[in-house]
Amino acid sequence: MMKMQLFTPGPVPIPERVLSFPGQNPLSHRNSMFFELMERIQTSLSIFLKSEGPVVILPSSGTGALEALCSNFINNGDRVLSVSCGTFGNRFREIARIYGADIISLDIPHGSSAKPGEVNSLLTANPDVKAILLTHNETSTGVVNPLSQIVQSLPESCPLVLVDAVSSLGAMPCFPERWRIDGLASCSQKGLLTPPGLGLVWLSDRAWQYLCSYKQKKGFYFDLPMHRAYLDKKDPQNPFTPPVSLLEILDRSLLFILDYGQEEWFVSKKRLSRSFIAGISAMGLEPFVKEDYARSPGVSSVLFPDGRAELIQRSLEDMGIIASGGQGDLKGHIMRFAHYSDQHWPETAMLLGCIYGGLLENGIEASPDYMLSAWNTWKEAK
Ligand SMILES: *Cc1c(COP(=O)(O)O)cnc(C)c1O
């Protein structure tokens, strides 16, 4: 069988150093070896998030972590301001609606990021808003939102800020405590280089106090105060049997990135995305996200002329390259290429070469100068 290379924005390939540990039987989750694993994961995550606060790790994908935020924080009839830049912003909104939110929508044109002023004015016009829903990195379009500037533009006494960080944590700065965020949801299979199956939830002190003031339980399996109580034990653990094997991989992946250097890792993601964008632009293609500052360092979206993205996707698959197509209205128009994994110049050069071949194969004109542009940007962006 041909070697298949994943460039999808989740799941992402797991670094070889992380995967190369002997297969072993699952740990007992009520045993000291597990408690040590859990402590190490919490310590690593506190470095990633620059916050001491424990992170609840749920057996779910990212959507489960988003649902946990909604089920715990949203009550019937609550006014909720939902900012959406694409499919995932819409999904977060939909979950909140199911839990009874009365939604005020701010829809950003696809391919652009949210502007701090817009969120602030909508909040000023709706003083009864109880929570704001934001997406850090909108994976469906490849847009990163200026989260810290958005929250800074809001008044100190602002409503709870709940954030979908499913495709940002690990790959780019994501510091919820410093940025005055109250609830953050993420997952294992994107920036954290772990197979799918873990949902992560971080809450601010204010958010924990708010939850603990409730008399009534808000669900059972995703009851965040119960998860917190188990994490706060002398031996940190989960209330229910956790996916121990995935947690072992998460531990190794976090240490892998920390060993590389967190700052250096963030820089390497930017470098990958910049040189990739330089390459496809020189080829004659257009990045879907026009403003440089709004482009995600984790996932790049590329516009293909005349709705021919699916033809290119098929050609790439024939070469063993698995990337993602567009979602919703963008289906057929864009493709999305992820930079989350431990890629360097060789992966960038290979990917660009394969896209170039895919274009020629489908009768789309492309300039062969792409490699020089990509290489120059790669060298400059060091
Ligand atoms: C992937 C993704 C999700 C959904 O995560 P699943 O793990 O597939 O449930 C939600 N939001 C964003 C921004 C994502 O990238």
Side-chain angles (χ1 to χ4, degrees):
M1 201 183 115
M2 198 189 329
K3 179 175 177 188
M4 290 295 190
Q5 315 223 34
L6 285 189
F7 285 90
T8 47
V12 303
I14 313 303
E16 269 166 39
R17 252 186 70 196
V18 172
L19 278 183
S20 62
F21 72 101
Q24 55 191 32
N25 277 315
L27 292 176
S28 157
H29 59 288
R30 304 288 181 228
N31 173 274
S32 62
M33 275 167 74
F34 180 78
F35 306 147
E36 283 162 24
L37 170 73
M38 206 56 177
E39 262 170 22
R40 210 162 46 238
I41 290 175
Q42 292 295 335
T43 303
S44 296
L45 285 172
S46 73
I47 300 172
F48 271 84
L49 296 164
K50 296 193 195 291
S51 162
E52 289 296 314
V55 176
V56 172
I57 306 179
L58 303 163
S60 75
S61 72
T63 307
L66 293 174
E67 176 140 7
L69 287 182
C70 292
S71 65
N72 279 270
F73 285 100
I74 293 171
N75 295 310
N76 224 357
D78 283 346
R79 296 269 277 169
V80 170
L81 170 53
S82 149
V83 184
S84 173
C85 300
T87 310
F88 291 112
N90 292 347
R91 181 183 296 182
F92 200 4
R93 176 182 297 169
E94 200 44 42
I95 302 171
R97 206 193 300 280
I98 286 168
Y99 283 93
D102 173 12
I103 305 276
I104 302 160
S105 296
L106 174 57
D107 289 304
I108 311 296
H110 291 178
S112 298
S113 56
K115 309 281 173 293
E118 286 177 304
V119 183
N120 190 15
S121 14
L122 205 54
L123 183 63
T124 313
N126 295 279
D128 56 344
V129 161
K130 196 186 111 180
I132 304 180
L133 311 182
L134 291 163
T135 313
H136 189 189
N137 186 78
E138 177 52 72
T139 326
S140 68
T141 59
V143 155
V144 61
N145 277 313
L147 211 50
S148 98
Q149 283 134 281
I150 293 175
V151 183
Q152 259 169 37
S153 79
L154 306 176
E156 281 278 342
S157 62
C158 85
L160 291 166
V161 179
L162 305 179
V163 171
D164 173 343
V166 172
S167 62
S168 61
L169 182 59
M172 57 199 85
C174 181
F175 308 134
E177 194 164 282
R178 294 196 174 175
W179 296 352
R180 277 205 287 129
I181 285 160
D182 292 293
L184 190 91
S186 194
C187 78
S188 51
Q189 82 274 19
K190 298 180 185 181
L192 296 181
L193 310 183
T194 302
L198 299 175
L200 283 70
V201 177
W202 173 95
L203 300 182
S204 67
D205 289 342
R206 171 170 96 137
W208 281 118
Q209 277 162 19
Y210 175 86
L211 279 192
C212 295
S213 69
Y214 272 148
K215 296 286 167 285
Q216 212 184 337
K217 282 236 175 268
K218 305 284 303 288
F220 189 81
Y221 201 61
F222 282 174
D223 178 23
L224 293 174
M226 168 157 54
H227 281 270
R228 168 87 197 240
Y230 275 76
L231 282 177
D232 283 347
K233 284 177 190 279
K234 187 173 69 56
D235 296 322
Q237 52 193 290
N238 295 62
F240 319 112
T241 313
V244 286
S245 313
L246 285 178
L247 287 164
E248 286 189 272
I249 305 181
L250 176 66
D251 175 39
R252 283 165 186 269
S253 294
L254 294 169
L255 293 174
F256 171 83
I257 301 177
L258 292 178
D259 188 38
Y260 189 100
Q262 200 187 18
E263 280 305 316
E264 290 78 4
W265 185 253
F266 294 156
V267 170
S268 81
K269 300 294 119 193
K270 271 205 161 152
R271 195 177 176 203
L272 285 166
S273 61
R274 288 219 175 118
S275 65
F276 176 74
I277 291 290
I280 62 104
S281 305
M283 223 179 272
L285 295 168
E286 257 183 78
F288 179 64
V289 180
K290 301 296 176 257
E291 298 106 341
D292 181 52
Y293 63 83
R295 276 186 208 133
S296 164
V299 55
S300 296
S301 49
V302 180
L303 205 49
F304 286 88
D306 311 320
R308 285 189 282 186
E310 280 176 340
L311 290 176
I312 309 297
Q313 188 170 0
R314 226 165 297 140
S315 293
L316 288 174
E317 277 176 19
D318 290 343
M319 301 175 206
I321 301 287
I322 316 291
S324 298
Q327 297 170 320
D329 292 347
L330 296 174
K331 196 172 158 58
H333 297 283
I334 65 166
M335 274 196 72
R336 297 171 299 133
F337 301 90
H339 315 292
Y340 291 107
S341 201
D342 60 337
Q343 307 161 1
H344 297 276
W345 170 253
E347 288 81 2
T348 306
M350 175 187 69
L351 190 54
L352 289 169
C354 291
I355 294 172
Y356 181 71
L359 290 171
L360 297 191
E361 195 166 73
N362 288 285
I364 302 175
E365 230 179 285
S367 160
D369 299 337
Y370 65 91
M371 200 57 93
L372 185 61
S373 291
W375 173 252
N376 285 341
T377 309
W378 175 263
K379 290 312 276 181
E380 280 161 23
K382 212 160 69 169

